[in-house]
């Protein structure tokens, strides 16, 4: 007796290749669907058994959607092969199993040929055939159709299945409540009327009715019109119901449940992705060291320190170039523009203001580049993981770590996305505690201030001080969080599970894109918001101008100086360019002092000056003079403005354009500034009220009440800290 064997599978699963291997025939092998539209037959002998083997057209499904599907299904149900070899592409298992699922529903005696295991392996996919067989409840044989590997085993198993002459035994899977309750009704009618039962199982016919299978519907109408009408009516009702309740057709529900069946089956340990496993394995090994309880945090600190070292040392030269460029620009304008308001606006408002911010671009870029490496490699996730242990102590949650890092935990973030990132926290109290403390981090806007003051007063150890101020930000944030969590936000901690993605090598492209994105944000802000605020503050520092009689009195002073210094000689020597003369030097100095006095008087007289001086009595406790006060008020609008405002405030008292000094030099020479004041100022700037945009964000995420709380609480807190630093520092004479 001849044995009938059929090959079924998705297009390109390798049916024809296997067919040729088994029969020795030379059928056309194509790697596009539709090459085999009709079925081809071949013969082979195996263990004295004559076998007719049929290569069915490739199909993804067993519903009458296309000619191929019909050919394949009709062949199976009318010819009833003793065994069907379902060839599946192992490198694309999930999709291929959709057909397998339908073959199982049909009930045909099945053997799964797990083809292309070579391709799968090359892609790092390993499939456990034994487990798959166990869950499908049919034999699974791994093969490589192209080389013939596994073909004998496949034939052996196929013959074994064929020899049992088993009844077609359809797989019953659930299609969800709605359809599962309709199916028995349909099955009852189909069985009672024996509709198509010699070809299909009653359940299969019922499913096909629900799937709106035109071929089966037509066959039904042909053989038993009344029954068919009844069935169609029931199906219509069911369709109407699912349309109304779920807004889908039953076919879609059925397909979904088939995929669900496959998915849950594959989840039982059928597939292991070997490359991933490899990567996970190396990742795990790296993590054993990098996230080790003792070595991990030490390495983390070392890495951070290295980052600052890298940033400051590499950016030093470019920062100097840019700063020189802005000085040059300032001098150029000084020469070309006539004295007056416009000149003052361009130099003090725009160049000193925006230039002060833009001058730090190289520093920001190097910092962002370093952070991009940490982020893209997956190390940042480890930082979060390690910080989680510490966070718990302070009443925060593991999910709080990312908001902190985003806000500038390593330096150079922004509290606005940081505040928004707290949305991942479920517990409202942990979320509030996080939201209120993330603005303590050193965001990108505070970086220039840090860089300026550290560079000016602690120039020899920039990286060390940067590291120190970063640590300080964390410590203060943690303590503030603890304070909040044990007072206004008291409550229990919630559990946290952290996933660590495997490490990967960052790509240069990725790094550049990340660096550029963030740097661009910074540049854009400097060009728009900062420019606007800078001009506004300049106006506040310029107007109202000194009353006329005061201006005149300064003019008189200058004239008097000129008179006493024997004007003829001065004029003579100036034209001869003998500027080295003692006499001229003394004269210039006198004039400069008078100019300075006038500029200071003008600044004091301005709106900003009045505000600044009115605050001085309070702020001097922390060592801040009225000019610094002006900058700090500006910083409330945006922290970048602190540097630019200091620049403007101190450039307005500028002595002489010819020995134009950098802000850093001016601060160094100013009697109001020293190391202690610098630290007090830094502490205040780091912890006082979040900038306006952040406050709006806090208000949106929480409420205006919390935003107001954040503003006052932080400012008072920062003030107390700054006063403490200044008083203690001054007492021990550390300035
Ligand atoms: P069909 O559409 O199911 O008939 O698939 P084909 O037999 O035409 O095969 C599609 C493509 O897959 C052809 O290029 C075959 O050479 C290739 N192929 C089939 N089986 C294997 C296999 O086990 N390993 C590899 N690497 N390629 C295979
Ligand atoms: Mg083919």
């Amino acid at each position: 007796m001849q044995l009938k064997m059929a090959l079924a599978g998705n297009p390109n699963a390798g049916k024809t290749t296997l067919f040729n291997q088994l029969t020795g025939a030379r059928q056309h092998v194509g790697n596009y669907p539709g090459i085999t539209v009709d079925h081809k037959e071949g013969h082979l002998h195996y263990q004295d058994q004559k076998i007719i083997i049929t290569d069915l057209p490739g199909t993804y499904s067993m519903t009458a959607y296309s000619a191929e599907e019909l050919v394949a299904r009709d062949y199976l149900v009318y010819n009833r092969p003793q065994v069907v070899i379902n060839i599946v592409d192992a490198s694309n298992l999930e999709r291929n199993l959709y057909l397998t699922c339908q073959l199982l529903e049909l009930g045909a005696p099945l053997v799964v040929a797990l083809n292309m295991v070579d391709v799968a392996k090359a892609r790092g996919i390993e499939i456990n055939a034994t487990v798959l067989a166990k869950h499908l409840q049919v034999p699974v044989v791994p093969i490589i159709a192209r080389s013939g590997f596994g073909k004998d085993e496949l034939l052996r198993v196929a013959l074994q299945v064929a020899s049992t002459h088993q009844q077609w035994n359809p797989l019953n899977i659930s299609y969800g409540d709605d359809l599962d309750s309709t199916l028995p009704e349909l099955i009852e009618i189909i069985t009672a009327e024996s509709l198509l039962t010699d070809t299909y199982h009653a359940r299969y016919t019922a499913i096909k009715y629900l799937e709106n299978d035109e071929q089966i519907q037509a066959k039904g109408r042909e053989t038993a019109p009344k029954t068919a009408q009844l069935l169609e009516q029931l199906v219509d009702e069911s369709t109407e119901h699912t349309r109304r309740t779920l807004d889908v057709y039953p076919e879609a529900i059925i397909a979904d449940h088939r995929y669900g069946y496959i998915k849950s089956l594959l989840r039982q340990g059928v597939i292991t992705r070997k490359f991933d496993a490899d990567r996970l394995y190396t990742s795990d090994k790296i993590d054993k060291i990098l996230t080790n309880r003792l070595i991990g945090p030490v390495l983390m600190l070392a890495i951070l320190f290295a980052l600052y070292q890298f940033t400051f040392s590499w950016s030093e030269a470019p920062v100097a170039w840019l700063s020189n460029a802005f000085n040059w620009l300032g001098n150029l304008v000084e020469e070309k523009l006539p004295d007056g308001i416009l000149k003052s606006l361009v130099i003090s408002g725009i160049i000193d203001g925006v230039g002060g911010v833009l001058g730090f671009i190289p520093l920001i870029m190097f910092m962002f580049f370093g952070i991009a490496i940490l982020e893209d490699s997956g190390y940042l996730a480890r930082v979060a993981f390690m910080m989680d242990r510490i966070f718990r102590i302070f009443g925060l949650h593991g999910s709080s770590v990312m908001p902190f890092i985003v806000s500038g935990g390593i330096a150079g973030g922004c509290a606005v996305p940081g505040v928004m990132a707290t949305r991942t926290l479920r517990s409202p109290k942990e979320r509030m505690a996080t939201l209120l403390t993330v603005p303590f981090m050193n965001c990108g806007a505070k970086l220039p201030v840090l860089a300026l003051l550290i560079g000016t007063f602690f120039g020899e150890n920039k990286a060390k001080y940067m590291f120190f101020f970063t640590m300080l930000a964390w410590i203060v944030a943690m303590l503030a969080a603890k304070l909040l969590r044990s007072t206004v936000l008291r409550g229990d901690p919630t559990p946290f599970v952290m996933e660590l993605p495997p490490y990967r090598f960052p790509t240069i492209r990725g790094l550049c894109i990340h660096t550029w994105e963030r740097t661009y944000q910074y540049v854009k802000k400097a060009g728009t918001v900062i420019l606007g605020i800078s001009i506004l503050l300049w106006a506040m520092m310029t107007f109202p101008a000194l009353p006329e009689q005061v201006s005149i009195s300064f003019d008189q002073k200058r004239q008097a100086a000129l008179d006493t210094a024997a004007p003829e000689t001065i004029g003579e020597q100036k034209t001869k360019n003998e500027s080295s003369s003692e006499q001229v030097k003394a004269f210039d100095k006198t004039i400069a002092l008078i100019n300075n006095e006038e500029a200071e008087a003008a600044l004091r007289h301005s709106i900003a000056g009045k505000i600044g001086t009115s605050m001085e009595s309070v702020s001097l406790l922390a060592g801040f003079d009225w000019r610094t006060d002006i900058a700090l008020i500006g910083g409330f609008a945006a922290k970048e403005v602190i540097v630019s405002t200091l620049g403007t405030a101190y450039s307005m008292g500028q002595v002489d354009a010819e020995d134009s000094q950098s802000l850093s030099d001016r601060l160094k020479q100013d009697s109001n500034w020293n190391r202690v004041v610098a630290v007090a100022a830094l502490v205040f700037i780091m912890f006082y009220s979040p900038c306006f945009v952040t406050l709006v964000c806090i208000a949106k995420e929480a409420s205006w009440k919390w935003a107001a709380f954040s503003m006052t609480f932080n400012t008072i807190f920062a003030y107390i800290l700054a006063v403490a630093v200044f008083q203690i520092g001054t007492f021990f004479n550390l300035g």
Side-chain angles (χ1 to χ4, degrees):
M1 195 197 81
Q2 275 198 340
L3 193 141
K4 281 183 278 182
M5 181 185 281
L7 293 180
N10 284 9
N12 286 320
K15 286 181 310 301
T16 308
T17 313
L18 180 65
F19 180 90
N20 289 348
Q21 275 284 351
L22 294 174
T23 61
R26 284 277 155 261
Q27 257 211 61
H28 185 71
V29 175
N31 58 357
Y32 52 92
I35 210 84
T36 323
V37 177
D38 207 352
H39 53 81
K40 298 271 186 305
E41 294 202 332
H43 299 265
L44 79 137
H45 283 261
Y46 186 77
Q47 296 172 345
D48 295 333
Q49 174 69 59
K50 269 182 150 181
I51 303 171
I52 300 182
I53 184 162
T54 309
D55 183 17
L56 296 175
T59 59
Y60 295 107
S61 157
M62 277 281 140
T63 309
Y65 289 134
S66 66
E68 287 88 351
E69 292 182 18
L70 266 186
V71 168
R73 187 170 77 189
D74 283 350
Y75 180 86
L76 293 180
V77 295
Y78 294 117
N79 289 286
R80 298 263 159 177
Q82 280 90 346
V83 60
V84 177
I85 293 178
N86 173 207
I87 182 161
V88 301
D89 175 354
S91 65
N92 213 342
L93 193 58
E94 187 168 335
R95 188 165 122 178
N96 275 247
L97 285 182
Y98 188 67
L99 179 69
T100 310
C101 180
Q102 293 181 67
L103 287 168
L104 289 169
E105 288 176 278
L106 188 62
L110 214 60
V111 173
V112 170
L114 190 62
N115 191 28
M116 308 216 199
V117 286
D118 56 331
V119 179
K121 199 169 174 174
R123 290 193 200 157
I125 304 167
E126 196 102 63
I127 290 159
N128 189 329
T130 320
V131 177
L132 183 60
K134 193 181 105 197
H135 290 294
L136 289 174
Q137 298 199 321
V138 295
V140 176
V141 184
I143 63 165
I144 301 173
R146 200 141 77 173
S147 71
F149 165 85
K151 112 184 150 176
D152 286 335
E153 172 70 3
L154 180 66
L155 275 177
R156 193 185 62 75
V157 172
L159 284 189
Q160 209 174 23
V161 169
S163 66
T164 57
H165 299 288
Q166 51 178 268
Q167 285 286 307
W168 280 35
N169 182 21
L171 166 77
N172 285 2
I173 58 177
S174 159
Y175 302 107
D177 284 347
D178 284 338
L179 300 189
D180 280 354
S181 60
T182 312
L183 273 176
E185 278 181 71
L186 301 176
I187 292 169
E188 198 181 320
I189 298 165
I190 294 167
T191 323
E193 305 292 327
S194 297
L195 183 79
L196 307 175
T197 41
D198 46 346
T199 326
Y200 301 102
H201 267 263
R203 190 168 195 268
Y204 191 81
T205 309
I207 295 165
K208 290 296 140 180
Y209 259 95
L210 283 172
E211 277 189 297
N212 201 17
D213 185 302
E214 279 167 17
Q215 189 208 28
I216 295 218
Q217 283 173 346
K219 283 226 161 73
R221 266 180 237 126
E222 218 172 86
T223 42
K226 278 225 177 92
T227 318
Q229 205 187 353
L230 187 60
L231 287 173
E232 281 174 34
Q233 199 184 318
L234 280 171
V235 169
D236 283 347
E237 280 167 23
S238 180
T239 306
E240 185 50 33
H241 181 71
T242 57
R243 288 261 295 131
R244 232 191 9 251
T245 54
L246 305 167
D247 197 28
V248 283
Y249 286 95
E251 310 156 59
I253 300 179
I254 292 173
D256 280 354
H257 281 83
R258 283 186 187 132
Y259 277 117
Y261 169 79
I262 295 162
K263 271 206 161 58
S264 65
L265 187 149
L266 289 180
R267 220 172 285 143
Q268 319 284 324
V270 173
I271 301 183
T272 34
R273 293 182 189 277
K274 197 166 159 292
F275 283 168
D276 272 4
D278 264 1
R279 254 177 68 217
L280 285 176
Y281 181 67
T282 18
S283 262
D284 281 352
K285 279 212 292 206
I286 299 174
D287 274 340
K288 279 227 168 69
I289 301 164
L290 285 189
T291 64
N292 177 290
R293 269 174 187 280
L294 298 172
I295 312 166
V298 176
L299 283 174
M300 179 169 79
L301 295 180
I303 289 171
L304 288 193
F305 187 70
L307 174 71
Y308 299 138
Q309 197 77 49
F310 160 78
T311 305
F312 279 100
S313 58
W314 282 72
S315 65
E316 196 157 3
V319 165
W321 297 333
L322 261 185
S323 150
N324 284 342
F326 281 110
N327 276 348
W328 174 84
L329 197 65
N331 287 340
L332 187 79
V333 175
E334 176 75 47
E335 271 172 36
K336 299 284 179 234
L337 279 186
D339 281 348
I341 290 292
L342 182 66
K343 184 169 173 174
S344 164
L345 169 66
V346 174
I347 294 181
S348 298
I350 299 175
I351 297 180
D352 281 355
V354 177
V357 177
L358 288 183
F360 287 99
I361 286 177
L363 181 98
I364 301 271
M365 263 179 75
F366 281 104
M367 185 70 88
F368 286 160
F369 188 78
I371 290 173
I373 294 177
L374 298 188
E375 191 176 345
D376 292 5
S377 63
Y379 184 69
L380 220 47
R382 271 73 190 177
V383 173
F385 174 76
M386 284 184 278
M387 295 308 294
D388 171 50
R389 295 179 204 143
I390 300 166
F391 268 45
R392 283 158 187 284
I393 304 170
F394 295 95
L396 292 171
H397 190 254
S399 306
S400 313
V401 181
M402 268 308 156
F404 273 94
I405 291 176
V406 170
S407 302
I410 294 179
C414 177
V416 172
V419 163
M420 294 205 268
T422 61
R423 284 180 195 166
T424 52
L425 283 129
R426 293 231 190 86
S427 144
K429 285 182 177 165
E430 286 169 340
R431 176 158 183 248
M432 279 312 305
T434 310
L435 200 143
L436 291 173
T437 45
V438 289
F440 286 149
M441 294 294 109
N442 289 327
C443 69
K446 292 179 198 167
L447 272 188
V449 192
L450 282 162
L452 171 76
L453 294 180
I454 292 175
T456 305
F457 294 99
F458 306 98
E460 42 334 330
N461 277 321
K462 279 187 245 174
K464 256 187 220 154
Y465 279 92
M466 187 65 209
F467 185 70
F468 166 77
F469 282 109
T470 306
M471 289 301 114
L472 184 69
W474 281 95
I475 292 165
V476 167
M478 290 299 106
L479 291 176
K482 185 74 189 170
L483 180 70
L484 289 168
R485 287 285 278 144
S486 41
T487 54
V488 277
L489 296 169
R490 207 172 320 148
D492 288 331
T494 50
F496 168 69
V497 186
M498 172 101 204
E499 274 180 44
L500 291 181
Y503 287 101
R504 57 178 73 242
F505 256 104
T507 61
I508 294 291
R509 202 180 129 81
L511 293 179
C512 291
I513 290 173
H514 279 152
T515 308
W516 169 244
E517 278 171 355
R518 291 184 182 150
T519 310
Y520 178 69
Q521 289 295 321
Y522 184 82
V523 175
K524 204 171 83 177
K525 207 169 158 195
T528 53
V529 183
I530 310 298
L531 177 66
I533 298 171
S534 193
I535 291 176
L536 179 74
L537 283 165
W538 165 84
M540 284 174 69
M541 286 188 259
T542 306
F543 303 108
L546 279 177
E548 207 160 335
Q549 64 267 45
V550 182
S551 295
I552 291 170
S553 77
F554 279 107
D555 284 342
Q556 284 166 351
K557 271 193 194 172
R558 270 186 288 264
Q559 190 56 50
L562 195 61
D563 290 344
T564 49
E568 309 79 40
T569 11
I570 297 282
E572 207 171 287
Q573 286 178 1
K574 275 238 167 189
T575 44
K576 280 197 217 149
N577 217 358
E578 287 173 30
S579 50
S580 57
S581 142
E582 286 300 314
Q583 222 177 350
V584 174
K585 267 194 185 161
F587 168 75
D588 279 350
K589 203 171 171 201
T590 319
I591 294 293
L593 280 175
I594 296 167
N595 285 349
N596 216 0
E597 212 179 311
E598 182 182 14
E600 189 176 321
L603 186 57
R604 271 185 197 276
H605 187 73
S606 71
I607 301 174
K610 291 215 175 83
I611 299 174
T613 40
S614 73
M615 285 169 53
E616 201 173 31
S617 57
V618 181
S619 70
L620 269 179
L621 285 176
F624 309 150
D625 69 351
W626 58 281
R627 291 175 208 250
T628 312
D629 290 346
I630 298 175
L632 294 177
I633 295 167
F636 172 69
K639 301 264 149 108
E640 289 94 334
V641 173
I642 295 173
V643 171
S644 58
T645 312
L646 276 177
T648 311
Y650 280 88
S651 82
M652 281 181 157
Q654 192 171 320
V655 176
D656 191 358
E658 266 141 64
D659 62 38
S660 155
Q661 292 170 305
S662 67
L663 175 58
S664 172
D665 291 335
R666 275 178 228 147
L667 290 181
K668 228 182 235 173
Q669 280 163 17
D670 196 284
S671 57
N672 276 323
W673 279 88
N674 59 35
R675 287 182 166 212
V676 172
V677 177
V679 175
L682 279 178
V683 165
F684 187 79
I685 291 163
M686 278 166 68
F687 303 124
Y688 84 121
S689 172
C691 70
F692 187 68
V693 186
T694 305
L695 284 178
V696 172
C697 229
I698 292 177
K700 266 199 236 146
E701 295 295 309
S703 68
W704 278 106
K705 218 180 74 196
W706 279 115
F709 173 83
S710 177
M711 188 172 134
T712 45
F713 172 81
N714 290 15
T715 307
I716 293 171
F717 177 71
Y719 177 70
I720 294 171
L721 275 183
V723 171
V725 167
F726 180 71
Q727 297 300 339
I728 295 169
T730 311
F731 181 77
F732 288 105
N733 210 6
L734 297 174

